[in-house]
Each structure stands twice: as structure tokens, then as C-alpha cells.
Amino acid sequence: MQVQFITAEVFNQHQEEFENANFLQTNEIAEVHKSSQFYEEIFYISWTEGERWIAQALVCVRRRFRFFKEAVIVQGPLFHLDELSLLPQMLESLEVFLKEKGISRVEMNPYLINKVLNESLEVIEECNYPELLSYFKEAGYHRSLDLEGGSVILQLFRKDLSLFETSDDIYNHLSNSLKRDLRKATESHIQIRELELDDLDIFYSILTETSLRKGFAVKDFTYFKKMKESFQDKAKYMVAFLDVEAYKAYYQERIEFFTNRVEELEKELAVREAEGKHVKKTRGLITDAKDQLASYQKRKKTFEALDIHNPMLALSGYLFMCYGDEVISVFGGSHDEYLTFGGSSLLNWEMMKFAKDNGYKYYNFYGTIETNQANQNEGNFNFKRQFGGNLVQLAGNFTKTLNPLLAFIAKFKKI
């Protein structure tokens, strides 16, 4: 088995042939990395036996302790799952190749499932590829599984859309509470729009504010601009906007409606009481109408306090990647003061419909944390699980030190 350099063009020809294909193992993401200069070197390799194309990988090189080079294969390498038995040979040949190139350490995290849990965090599938774990262990790789953090996505929430006939079928299976929230967002005149390249600052403003609130790091603006330039239509920056004037007209119409409703019911109540008729039902209707009226009056008061002057108010924004057989919600968030409008829920629902209507098999909520808050009905995982699906834990992060000196240093430094 041989490992060799290949060109970007050759890599691109094969990158969607593999079952574990993903956007982080593409020629497009390589162009993004090159523009950011985060990595010292980026190259493409293939594993072959004669004319047989076995596997390929996008390899990024970074420095460790200034003097050592580390090769990183994010969500790779790409290979056919029915040829998993070739992994020991692949690892052996890769290490020989990297040592010849002066690489001291290698890190990889194949895009393969290790465990599947349901919405109640009960394990329903255990270790889909047990041989993969044993192969890495026998080859001397250290496995880490930081599911709640780190720079590599090892845990995600994913919904299998192939289980449903249509997007209407998906909607019918959503919880009543989520359907109520989606109806409320739609009635409030929230509109979903895709941003053009010149408008990405709207998304970036939402993302950076969310990062400060949630405590996660965000790449600079040029990274997101390059993502759109490289992936084109596969990268969709979607934002939920509130049509301000339409929303004002909506809650004002509702206030007037329920004001009149209360007046009519109170007149009916007086008549029924004078006639000695049963009034319990009428009193109940009055209570309901007053509750609704109070709700819309509160909405008006709250919104007026925000002192909004823009005709279209950006609420929530996400970058969605449409690649392979899935639509992925990669980055995103919401302005804190507008969370109650439900823009994030409507945005994810509209993209889930888009995924189903355009033949994608999975809707992937991607990095999923805060599973410990599920019992309190809070957090990142709790938001995602209301749409239905499974928590998927990937195989892990595998590292091996190839340079004896770096191995010695690693005993005293945590790397």
C-alpha cells in the first residue's frame, strides 16, 4: 500500500465517493484554511494499491513547541466502510510517509459513529465500528473523547429525514409545544432570508454576540466570507428577520380584537345573569379572552421598550452547510434580547423542510453540548432534541507521537 501526494484536482474528483464524506475533508475547506493561515502547510494524500484507490485525506500541518510538526486530519481520512480491515495497513503506511516528511505527531478523527443515544439519552446503538477502535489501539494511538468541548466536533444531534414521507409528515410528528412556537413565530411575521456575500456582517454580528454570551471562540470575519466564496451555494447563511411594521400591525389588531371580544362577552354575561341562565362557560370565555388581551398588550409594551427603528430586525442567524447527504447547522445563534421571538426555532425548521424537500437524508444540528441540562429543560441539547432525532457520538480523536524526543517532552507537557 502506498501513500502519496495528490493534487487538489484529483482529490476533488474523489471526495464525494466515500460514505464518510464530509465538508471538512474537501478541497473547498482547504481553500478556506489557506486563506486563514492558521496552518503552516496543507496538502492532499491518497492510499493506493496499484490502480486501486483505497482512501484519501486532506492533511493540515501545525507546529508543536515551535520545533515539531503535527499533521491533523480533521474528520478523516475518507475510505469505504466495507474496507475497514485495511485500516492497520493505512496507518502503518501513513506513519512511514509522515516521518519521511519530518512530521513528529499525527492526529485524526474519522467521521464514523461510535454510539447513538435517543432524546432521553438512552443508548440505542453501541459502537458501530468496534474493530476501528481496536485497530487504532493496536497501532499505538491514544484515543480521547471530549464530547462537550474542544476544537473537534465529536458529538452531534442528527435527525434521519428518510423516515418521513414528506416535510409535512415531519411537521406532524413534532411536539405540540414546538408546533405552537412555530405558529407563533410565523404569525409574528418572521421572515427567513438567505444572505448574499455582501451582507454577511449581519450573520457575524449575531454570531459574535452569541459567542460572548455562551463563552465560545469565533473565527474572524474573513473566514466566513471565504467559506461562502469557496463553497458557493453549498454554504447558506440564513437569517430570521422580524418585519417590524407588520409585527406592530399584528399585535395591534389582536389587541383590538380581544378588547372587543371581552366587551361582547361581558354584555352577554350581563344578559344571561339577568335571565337566570348558566354563566360558567361565558365566564370562562371572558377569562381566556382577558388572558389573550393581556398577552398581546405585554408584547406591545415589551417591543416598544426596545425602541426599534429598523424596518427589518435581525433575530437569529446560522451558517448551514449542504454537503453529501446532510444539511448541517454549523455556526449560529441569536441576539439575546430577541430570543423570545423564536427566530432560531423557525430558522431551523425552515432549513429542515429545505433538506427534506431537496432530497437530503439527514438534518444535522452538529456540535451538541449541555446534555447535563436536559432534565432542567435548558441548554443546547434541549433546544435541539425538541425537533426529534438522535444524539450521535463519533469514534473519537486519535493521536500518535512519531518522534521520540517529542514523546519524551509529552510526558511532562499535556498535548
Side-chain angles (χ1 to χ4, degrees):
M1 187 180 294
Q2 290 187 326
V3 176
Q4 58 193 358
F5 288 117
I6 55 174
T7 65
E9 291 73 22
V10 172
F11 184 91
N12 189 49
Q13 290 173 12
H14 295 277
Q15 69 185 28
E16 294 192 39
E17 294 178 0
F18 302 92
E19 298 93 317
N20 61 339
N22 64 88
F23 78 97
L24 292 178
Q25 278 290 310
T26 61
N27 184 38
E28 292 90 340
I29 200 68
E31 294 302 314
V32 176
H33 290 328
K34 289 174 184 176
S35 69
S36 70
Q37 298 183 333
F38 179 78
Y39 293 105
E40 181 176 295
E41 184 182 359
I42 296 171
F43 56 83
Y44 310 89
I45 59 174
S46 67
W47 285 260
T48 58
E49 281 184 342
E51 298 296 319
R52 184 183 177 196
W53 195 271
I54 297 172
Q56 65 182 53
L58 166 65
V59 183
C60 303
V61 179
R62 62 191 178 193
R63 287 283 173 172
R64 285 288 188 182
F65 303 114
R66 187 182 300 178
F67 303 106
F68 302 100
K69 291 183 178 182
E70 178 182 47
V72 184
I73 304 176
V74 182
Q75 293 195 352
L78 304 179
F79 55 89
H80 295 295
L81 303 187
D82 58 0
E83 295 184 334
L84 190 56
S85 60
L86 297 176
L87 184 58
Q89 293 173 263
M90 287 175 56
L91 296 176
E92 182 179 357
S93 55
L94 174 65
E95 291 166 26
V96 172
F97 176 85
L98 294 177
K99 286 179 182 178
E100 291 176 351
K101 308 306 175 188
I103 305 294
S104 300
R105 190 170 184 262
V106 59
E107 174 182 316
M108 66 187 81
N109 29 76
Y111 197 50
L112 295 173
I113 296 173
N114 176 57
K115 189 182 295 185
V116 179
L117 297 82
N118 62 19
E119 298 155 40
S120 301
L121 297 177
E122 300 165 332
V123 177
I124 56 178
E125 291 183 40
E126 185 81 53
C127 200
N128 286 19
Y129 305 100
E131 62 270 47
L132 177 133
L133 303 184
S134 63
Y135 289 150
F136 271 112
K137 183 177 181 180
E138 291 166 6
Y141 283 76
H142 171 71
R143 179 188 181 221
S144 61
L145 200 61
D146 182 8
L147 300 175
E148 293 279 332
S151 59
V152 177
I153 300 300
L154 294 179
Q155 180 169 264
L156 51 91
F157 193 79
R158 188 173 71 171
K159 187 178 183 76
D160 187 347
L161 306 182
S162 68
L163 301 176
F164 303 89
E165 292 292 329
T166 63
S167 56
D168 287 341
D169 188 24
I170 297 174
Y171 181 84
N172 291 335
H173 282 82
L174 298 178
S175 68
N176 289 332
S177 60
L178 178 56
K179 285 189 282 190
R180 183 176 61 250
D181 290 343
L182 295 176
R183 284 195 300 270
K184 180 180 176 182
T186 302
E187 291 170 355
S188 298
H189 295 276
I190 294 177
Q191 300 177 10
I192 307 301
R193 294 184 183 176
E194 181 174 1
L195 299 180
E196 300 295 334
L197 188 61
D198 293 340
D199 298 322
L200 296 190
D201 58 308
I202 299 173
F203 159 82
Y204 195 68
S205 174
I206 296 172
L207 181 65
T208 51
E209 183 188 305
T210 304
S211 72
L212 292 174
R213 187 174 74 249
K214 291 286 190 177
F216 60 84
V218 171
K219 297 181 184 295
D220 60 36
F221 180 74
T222 56
Y223 172 88
F224 294 97
K225 183 178 180 182
K226 188 62 180 180
M227 286 285 282
K228 183 61 178 176
E229 292 172 342
S230 297
F231 283 96
Q232 296 292 313
D233 290 343
K234 292 180 180 178
K236 296 185 178 295
Y237 288 91
M238 308 297 295
V239 172
F241 289 93
L242 180 71
D243 185 329
V244 173
E245 292 306 315
Y247 178 62
K248 289 180 178 179
Y250 164 67
Y251 65 61
Q252 191 60 48
E253 183 275 329
R254 293 282 84 192
I255 289 172
E256 292 174 3
F257 173 84
F258 284 108
T259 298
N260 293 333
R261 177 69 171 156
V262 170
E263 291 177 357
E264 291 171 0
L265 288 170
E266 286 180 338
K267 289 178 181 178
E268 179 182 332
L269 177 65
V271 171
R272 295 183 70 84
E273 286 180 329
E275 295 176 349
K277 295 181 179 179
H278 293 292
V279 295
K280 183 177 180 180
K281 180 178 179 181
T282 306
R283 289 184 185 280
L285 292 174
I286 292 174
T287 299
D288 290 342
K290 285 184 175 180
D291 287 344
Q292 292 277 14
L293 176 60
S295 174
Y296 285 105
Q297 288 172 330
K298 181 179 179 181
R299 285 206 213 182
K300 178 181 180 179
K301 183 179 180 180
T302 301
F303 192 72
E304 288 178 344
L306 293 173
D307 195 26
I308 303 299
H309 299 286
N310 294 331
M312 299 299 292
L313 180 64
L315 308 174
S316 307
Y318 287 82
L319 163 59
F320 294 92
M321 188 62 64
C322 306
Y323 190 84
D325 61 359
E326 58 185 3
V327 170
I328 309 168
S329 175
V330 184
F331 298 105
S334 302
H335 285 305
D336 188 33
E337 62 268 40
Y338 310 141
L339 282 170
T340 56
F341 285 102
S344 183
S345 294
L346 186 62
L347 190 49
N348 276 279
W349 165 241
E350 290 296 329
M351 286 306 294
M352 187 176 289
K353 283 201 300 182
F354 168 86
K356 180 61 182 177
D357 294 342
N358 287 273
Y360 290 94
K361 183 177 180 182
Y362 296 107
Y363 186 79
N364 188 345
F365 284 96
Y366 216 43
T368 302
I369 58 174
E370 300 173 338
T371 54
N372 59 319
Q373 297 183 29
N375 292 333
Q376 288 78 43
N377 292 323
E378 298 176 349
N380 177 280
F381 168 69
N382 187 65
F383 169 78
K384 296 174 181 181
R385 70 171 176 174
Q386 66 180 329
F387 289 87
N390 293 313
L391 188 68
V392 176
Q393 297 177 355
L394 302 182
N397 200 42
F398 301 93
T399 58
K400 184 174 182 179
T401 303
L402 309 177
N403 183 301
L405 178 57
L406 180 58
F408 177 76
I409 295 174
K411 292 182 180 179
F412 305 96
K413 301 282 187 177
K414 187 176 180 180
I415 63 169

